């Protein structure tokens, strides 16, 4: 028996500052139509897929940046995407910035992905756990990566949802570099992890990593997939956006760790794979039979400690 989920990784090329949400949504719908032609059931879009990657600019008054955030989902700009996906019977995962005001008047800003089922119902909205970059303006940098100024981290963590006849998890960009992200979902039986990303080629704190961006991107998603017996769908917003060159290399990774589809460009591009969710059991029930082989009593440091503690001399 097999449970085939046909997935499309809908990579986006750059979204410049002056591109309207309406024009971006038309690009998303064009990719949705390609996906329909390929029999895709679930389309995954990148992180912050409705706007340019605005954390590359710093503003002293954060409310000046509020126009980059969505206040609800769907909304007037994204409703055409929701309507067309429902009409075609395709589910999707969409990354965007969310601003939310509580009843007590406090305002919260998150980097999120919303998963939508084929009937148009919202499965879940995941908030990014690992927020990279910096909190303050760093004017000496060629561009900012001020995500820690613009986004609060999730307090809910990594969930796994019964959707698309399988067990689906989500993570966002920097989350993919941390083995804990995959393992927390692995411990909930995840069969497919959906991950949008924006990764500038130039890593300002250590430029020696620039030429390794593609290697590291593949390394983390392939190992996370294999070590947890899960499919991973990684989807980029690539190309030169407002002068910043970003990695493409969107990919669909099997539970074996093998890449089964990979983008050829850094522009709008759909890649597709027929993913057998039952393939996960080949790894989850053998080498990575967690219940049989894991030693959680040996891993206490992973949850009790954040930074490194060196051994005593
Ligand atoms: N959007 C991201 O989370 N980007 C990060 C930074 C460090 C480049 C990433 O891990 O790709």
């Amino acid at each position: 028996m097999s449970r085939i989920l046909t997935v499309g990784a809908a990579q986006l090329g750059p979204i410049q500052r002056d591109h309207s949400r309406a024009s971006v949504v038309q690009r998303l719908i064009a990719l949705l139509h390609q996906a329909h032609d390929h029999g895709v059931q679930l389309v995954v879009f990148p992180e912050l897929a409705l706007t340019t990657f605005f954390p590359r600019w710093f503003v002293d008054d954060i409310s000046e940046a509020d126009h980059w955030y969505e206040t609800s989902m769907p909304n007037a700009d994204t409703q055409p995407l929701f309507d067309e996906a429902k009409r075609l019977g395709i589910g999707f995962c969409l990354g965007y910035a969310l601003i939310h005001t509580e009843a007590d008047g406090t305002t919260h800003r998150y980097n999120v992905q919303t998963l939508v089922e084929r009937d148009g119902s919202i499965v879940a909205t995941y908030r990014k756990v690992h927020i990279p970059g910096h909190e303050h303006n760093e004017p000496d940098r060629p561009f900012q990566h001020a995500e820690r100024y613009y986004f609060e981290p999730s307090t809910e963590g990594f969930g796994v949802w019964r959707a698309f006849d399988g067990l689906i998890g989500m993570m966002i960009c920097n989350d993919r570099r941390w083995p804990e992200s995959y393992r927390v979902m692995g411990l909930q039986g995840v069969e497919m992890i959906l991950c949008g990303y924006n990764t500038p080629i130039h890593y300002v704190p250590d430029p020696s990593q620039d030429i390794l961006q593609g290697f590291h991107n593949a390394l983390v998603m392939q190992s996370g997939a294999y070590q947890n017996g899960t499919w991973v769908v990684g989807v980029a917003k690539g190309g030169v956006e407002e002068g910043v060159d970003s990695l493409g290399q969107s990919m669909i990774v099997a539970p074996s760790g093998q890449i089964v589809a990979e983008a050829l460009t850094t522009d709008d591009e759909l890649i597709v794979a027929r993913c057998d969710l039952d393939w996960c059991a080949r790894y989850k029930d053998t080498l990575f039979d967690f219940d049989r082989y894991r030693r959680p009593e040996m891993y206490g440091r992973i949850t009790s400690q954040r930074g490194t503690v060196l051994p005593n001399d």
Side-chain angles (χ1 to χ4, degrees):
M1 211 196 83
S2 59
R3 282 177 298 141
I4 304 293
L5 177 58
T6 303
V7 171
Q11 177 175 284
L12 289 179
I15 300 175
Q16 309 302 348
R17 187 181 188 125
D18 62 353
H19 290 180
S20 68
R21 280 179 179 72
S23 70
V24 174
V25 166
Q26 286 312 308
R27 286 165 62 183
L28 305 184
I29 290 174
L31 288 160
L32 208 58
H33 288 155
Q34 281 185 41
H36 185 247
D37 292 343
H38 286 86
V40 167
Q41 296 157 291
L42 168 60
V43 172
V44 185
F45 295 113
E47 175 191 35
L48 300 181
L50 296 172
T51 64
T52 199
F53 189 79
F54 63 88
R56 73 167 63 89
W57 298 291
F58 197 87
V59 289
D60 289 328
D61 177 357
I62 197 170
S63 66
E64 285 173 25
D66 283 355
H67 61 99
W68 296 119
Y69 297 77
E70 313 305 310
T71 53
S72 60
M73 190 57 63
N75 55 39
D77 288 311
T78 57
Q79 192 64 54
L81 173 70
F82 278 71
D83 291 346
E84 191 60 1
K86 184 176 177 182
R87 190 183 73 79
L88 297 171
I90 300 178
F92 64 93
C93 178
L94 180 71
Y96 58 97
L98 178 69
I99 190 166
H100 169 68
T101 302
E102 297 280 2
D104 66 5
T106 54
T107 298
H108 302 274
R109 297 171 176 84
Y110 299 104
N111 187 342
V112 307
Q113 277 179 181
T114 292
L115 179 61
V116 182
E117 255 290 6
R118 291 155 288 188
D119 65 0
S121 60
I122 289 181
V123 176
T125 294
Y126 163 75
R127 302 172 193 200
K128 188 172 183 175
V129 168
H130 299 97
I131 310 291
H134 48 100
E135 293 83 356
H136 305 292
N137 193 17
E138 296 189 3
D140 292 339
R141 295 172 61 108
F143 54 88
Q144 306 292 303
H145 196 107
E147 282 197 66
R148 294 176 72 86
Y149 177 64
Y150 286 112
F151 302 123
E152 287 177 42
S154 165
T155 53
E156 296 164 322
F158 296 101
V160 170
W161 294 272
R162 290 185 185 277
F164 298 91
D165 306 313
L167 294 161
I168 312 293
M170 290 187 272
M171 62 184 179
I172 300 177
C173 195
N174 190 255
D175 290 328
R176 77 194 190 285
R177 301 189 193 271
W178 300 91
E180 293 86 351
S181 309
Y182 304 85
R183 183 50 53 91
V184 170
M185 289 186 264
L187 287 166
Q188 298 171 76
V190 72
E191 294 174 322
M192 181 176 282
I193 299 175
L194 316 177
C195 177
Y197 60 89
N198 284 259
T199 297
I201 301 289
H202 183 38
Y203 183 59
V204 178
D206 177 16
S208 77
Q209 297 181 27
D210 295 3
I211 56 165
L212 300 172
Q213 288 293 357
F215 169 64
H216 289 155
N217 186 49
L219 178 72
V220 292
M221 292 196 284
Q222 290 184 263
S223 51
Y226 168 63
Q227 290 167 345
N228 295 279
T230 180
W231 292 88
V232 173
V233 183
V235 189
K237 173 139 62 65
V240 182
E241 194 179 83
E242 296 293 339
V244 178
D245 193 11
S246 291
L247 186 71
Q249 204 194 38
S250 299
M251 61 178 68
I252 301 173
V253 184
S256 60
Q258 292 167 290
I259 298 170
V260 298
E262 184 173 334
L264 297 174
T265 73
T266 53
D267 221 322
D268 291 13
E269 180 183 344
L270 181 80
I271 59 170
V272 176
R274 293 178 79 250
C275 303
D276 183 354
L277 299 182
D278 284 330
W279 204 269
C280 300
R282 290 173 181 257
Y283 292 86
K284 291 184 191 293
D285 295 349
T286 58
L287 241 135
F288 296 109
D289 181 339
F290 287 173
D291 196 39
R292 184 170 185 191
Y293 296 120
R294 285 184 78 251
R295 300 288 312 284
E297 65 278 19
M298 298 292 135
Y299 312 149
R301 283 183 188 275
I302 288 177
T303 53
S304 66
Q305 180 179 323
R306 183 156 66 189
T308 303
V309 176
L310 299 176
N312 293 327
D313 287 334

